[in-house]
């Protein structure tokens, strides 16, 4: 989340301790993650694990928000041109524009491969 916020030019998320609970030898740390106006929580056996859980929850929340705000893209229409005879001609394929070139390394038995 920190790397993502840096790449998009926003402020880093702020993590704060929400609580620590113990049950015998088991320690559970709870952390809140605040980024812009969003807040998520994470729990783990350590502060680092709790922060990772909170960051993952924030990423999932941001992803869901992006899905909701993006306009729905319908399947693009493929247009065909009709020539003077009334025959439909499909659009040119971009795969036929350039030939595919493969790089082949010489193997054993080849003078350059030894």
């Amino acid at each position: 989340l920190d790397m993502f916020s840096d790449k998009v030019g926003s402020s880093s998320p702020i993590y704060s301790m929400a609580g620590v609970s113990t049950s015998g030898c088991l320690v559970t740390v709870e952390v809140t993650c605040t980024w812009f106006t969003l807040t998520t929580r994470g729990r783990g056996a350590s502060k680092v694990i709790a922060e990772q859980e909170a960051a993952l929850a924030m990423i999932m929340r941001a992803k869901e928000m992006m899905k909701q705000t993006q306009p729905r893209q319908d399947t693009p229409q493929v247009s065909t041109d009709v020539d003077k005879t009334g025959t439909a001609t499909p659009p040119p394929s971009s795969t036929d524009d350039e030939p595919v070139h493969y790089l082949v390394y010489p193997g054993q038995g080849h003078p350059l491969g030894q």
Side-chain angles (χ1 to χ4, degrees), residues 49-110:
I49 294 172
E51 286 176 350
Q52 289 174 349
E53 290 292 321
L56 179 61
M58 183 65 73
I59 291 169
M60 299 302 288
R61 190 167 182 189
K63 184 177 177 181
E64 285 300 316
M65 290 180 67
M66 289 174 56
K67 282 183 184 178
Q68 293 173 0
T69 59
Q70 287 180 343
R72 184 177 171 163
Q73 297 290 330
D74 292 329
T75 305
Q77 298 293 325
V78 176
S79 63
T80 55
D81 294 328
V82 178
D83 63 9
K84 291 180 183 178
T85 63
T87 306
T89 57
S93 174
S94 62
T95 59
D96 295 336
D97 293 343
E98 293 183 25
V100 177
H101 297 281
Y102 296 98
L103 179 61
V104 178
Y105 292 98
Q108 294 212 349
H110 189 277

Side-chain angles (χ1 to χ4, degrees), residues 7-59:
K7 289 207 183 275
V8 297
S10 69
S11 61
S12 294
I14 298 170
Y15 298 96
S16 57
M17 294 284 291
V20 177
S21 63
T22 57
S23 176
C25 295
L26 182 64
V27 176
T28 304
V29 179
E30 188 171 351
V31 172
T32 60
C33 174
T34 305
W35 190 48
F36 293 112
T37 59
L38 304 173
T39 302
T40 57
R41 289 183 177 258
R43 290 186 180 152
S46 69
K47 182 181 175 199
V48 172
I49 294 172
E51 286 176 350
Q52 289 174 349
E53 290 292 321
L56 179 61
M58 183 65 73
I59 291 169

